[in-house]
Amino acid sequence: MAQPVGIKDVARAAGVSVGTVSNVINRPDSVATETRARVLSAIDRLGYVRSESARQLRAGRSRIMGLLVLDMGNPFFVDVARGAERAARDAGLGVMVCNSAQSAGEEADYLSLFAEQRVRGVLLTPADATGRNIASFRRHGIPFVLVDRVAEGTTECSVSVDDVAGGALAVRHLIDAGHRSIAYVSGPPGFNQVRDRRTGALNALAEAGLSPSALRELPTERLDVAAGRDAGARLLGLAERPTAVFCANDLLALGVLQAMYAAGVGVPDDLAIVGYDDIEFAAAAAVPLTSVRQPAVTMGALAAELLLEETEADAETGPSRHAHRRVVLQPELVVRRSSLSAR
C-alpha cells in the first residue's frame, strides 16, 4: 500500500523548507508569489491532502472508518450501514456515513474528505462509472473495500451479491408464471449492478428458448420511487404493454406499483411486478412485493471485517502480507402477491 504524501515530501519536491510549505497552507500571503506557486504546484502534482486529524494520528491510528453509499434514502443501504457499524463497533471503531446521492461529483468530494481526515479505511459503493474517483483516491494510500460491487479491474477487496444470478431468479419466476413479454425497469446503465441484473434476465429468457426481444428495457436516471413512477407512466403508454415487469431495485418497483394503482391497473392480475433487494417496505406494500433478497446487513459486516483485516495486517506486517479477497454472496427470491397472477 502506498504511503500517504506528507508535508516533507512537498517541501522536498518544491525545494523549500517544511516551514515554508506550512506557511503556504496556513499563511499564503506571507510567502513570495513565485515560491508559493512552486509549492502549490508540488501539492497538486503529489496529491497532498492536509490531515485535519494529524494530532490524533500522532497519538495513534484513526478510530474512524468511512462508509460512502449511493443513496441513504434506500433502506438497502441503511441495512448495509447497520452491518458495517456493528462490525466496526465490535472492533472499537466508529463509522462516518456519507451519501453520494448517486453523484460522481459528490462522491469525489466525500473521498477527499475521507483523505483529509485520514480515516482508518473506507467502505465504498461507487457512483462514478469511469473509475476516476477510485484511481484518484488510491494514491492517498488509504485502504478501501468495494460494497455491492465486484472489484473489476482493481486489486482491492470487495463484497457483492451475484446479480447475474439474481436477475435470472426474477425473470425465471415470471416465465414460470406464464409471462412471455417482460419489461425491465433498469436504472442508470452505468451501474454494474443494473447491467448484471439485465444479463441474468436475458440468461433466463435464453434458458426458456425465448428471444432477447421478450425483454423490453425502460432505463431511468435514478434508482428511486419517483423514477419508478415515471417508468410506470411510460409503461402504461406502450402500444403493446408487457404483462410483467422486473425492476432493478425495490424503490423502482414501488414507484411502478404506485403508477399502476393510480391508473387502475391491477397488480398482479393485469401486471406482475418483481423488485430487487427485499427492503422492509417490500412486504408492507399495498400489494406485497415479490423481490430478490440481498443479505444487506451481512454484506456491510463482511466488508467492514475485510477492511479491518487489511488495516491490521498493514499495521503489523506491512501491506504485502494482506491477501485481497472478492466475496460474492448468493441472492434469494422471496415470492409475494405482486407476481402471483394466474396465466
Side-chain angles (χ1 to χ4, degrees), residues 28-110:
D29 292 340
S30 69
V31 182
T33 302
E34 181 179 342
T35 302
R36 186 167 67 243
R38 194 161 71 248
V39 171
L40 291 174
S41 175
I43 287 174
D44 182 67
R45 186 170 67 254
L46 295 176
Y48 171 76
V49 176
R50 178 181 179 178
S51 175
E52 297 296 335
S53 55
R55 183 178 302 177
Q56 176 182 334
L57 290 179
R58 281 194 291 271
R61 292 184 300 153
S62 171
R63 296 179 58 247
I64 298 297
M65 178 187 299
L67 171 63
L68 182 55
V69 300
L70 286 176
D71 181 10
M72 280 306 293
N74 186 340
F76 167 76
F77 288 110
V78 175
D79 285 343
V80 169
R82 283 175 49 215
E85 190 274 336
R86 185 182 303 164
R89 186 177 64 244
D90 289 345
L93 303 181
V95 178
M96 180 191 300
V97 181
C98 297
N99 176 27
S100 71
Q102 304 177 41
S103 163
E106 292 192 36
E107 175 182 85
D109 291 342
Y110 279 122

Side-chain angles (χ1 to χ4, degrees), residues 267-288:
V267 175
D269 293 334
D270 298 322
L271 182 76
I273 302 177
V274 175
Y276 205 103
D277 290 339
D278 195 34
I279 61 176
E280 184 177 354
F281 298 132
V287 179

Side-chain angles (χ1 to χ4, degrees), residues 168-180 182 201 203-210 244:
L169 280 175
V171 172
R172 193 178 296 124
H173 167 68
L174 292 171
I175 292 170
D176 289 345
H179 298 281
R180 297 296 180 266
I182 301 168
N203 288 349
L205 291 174
E207 290 170 6
L210 298 174

Side-chain angles (χ1 to χ4, degrees), residues 43-314:
I43 287 174
D44 182 67
R45 186 170 67 254
L46 295 176
Y48 171 76
V49 176
R50 178 181 179 178
S51 175
E52 297 296 335
S53 55
R55 183 178 302 177
Q56 176 182 334
L57 290 179
R58 281 194 291 271
R61 292 184 300 153
S62 171
R63 296 179 58 247
I64 298 297
M65 178 187 299
L67 171 63
L68 182 55
V69 300
L70 286 176
D71 181 10
M72 280 306 293
N74 186 340
F76 167 76
F77 288 110
V78 175
D79 285 343
V80 169
R82 283 175 49 215
E85 190 274 336
R86 185 182 303 164
R89 186 177 64 244
D90 289 345
L93 303 181
V95 178
M96 180 191 300
V97 181
C98 297
N99 176 27
S100 71
Q102 304 177 41
S103 163
E106 292 192 36
E107 175 182 85
D109 291 342
Y110 279 122
L111 288 175
S112 293
L113 175 65
F114 290 152
E116 188 176 299
Q117 296 298 321
R118 294 289 192 263
V119 296
R120 174 76 65 93
V122 174
L123 307 178
L124 170 65
T125 303
D128 176 24
T130 69
R132 285 192 290 265
N133 285 344
I134 288 178
S136 179
F137 183 70
R138 188 180 284 114
R139 66 183 179 177
H140 298 301
I142 298 174
F144 63 91
V145 174
L146 299 181
V147 186
D148 193 33
R149 169 83 174 269
V150 176
E152 296 174 349
T154 73
T155 58
E156 282 76 24
C157 291
S158 66
V159 180
S160 62
V161 164
D162 187 341
D163 284 318
V164 174
L169 280 175
V171 172
R172 193 178 296 124
H173 167 68
L174 292 171
I175 292 170
D176 289 345
H179 298 281
R180 297 296 180 266
S181 177
I182 301 168
Y184 176 44
V185 177
S186 60
F191 289 164
N192 283 21
Q193 300 94 323
V194 167
R195 295 197 300 267
D196 286 349
R197 291 165 196 177
R198 179 178 61 240
T199 297
L202 292 172
N203 288 349
L205 291 174
E207 290 170 6
L210 298 174
S211 166
S213 63
L215 190 73
R216 176 75 175 269
E217 185 167 0
L218 297 173
T220 63
E221 293 184 359
R222 299 182 63 79
L223 290 160
D224 54 24
V225 173
R229 284 195 298 265
D230 175 72
R234 284 183 280 151
L235 186 65
L236 290 168
L238 295 177
E240 296 183 10
R241 187 191 307 163
T243 60
V245 57
F246 165 45
C247 298
N249 76 2
D250 284 342
L251 295 184
L252 290 172
L254 291 171
V256 172
L257 179 60
Q258 289 178 7
M260 296 305 110
Y261 181 82
V265 174
V267 175
D269 293 334
D270 298 322
L271 182 76
I273 302 177
V274 175
Y276 205 103
D277 290 339
D278 195 34
I279 61 176
E280 184 177 354
F281 298 132
V287 179
L289 185 67
T290 294
S291 184
V292 178
R293 176 179 293 165
Q294 296 199 82
V297 173
T298 299
M299 193 181 302
L302 286 174
E305 289 166 6
L306 286 176
L307 187 60
L308 289 166
E309 284 180 15
E310 180 171 358
T311 57
E312 291 301 323
D314 288 353

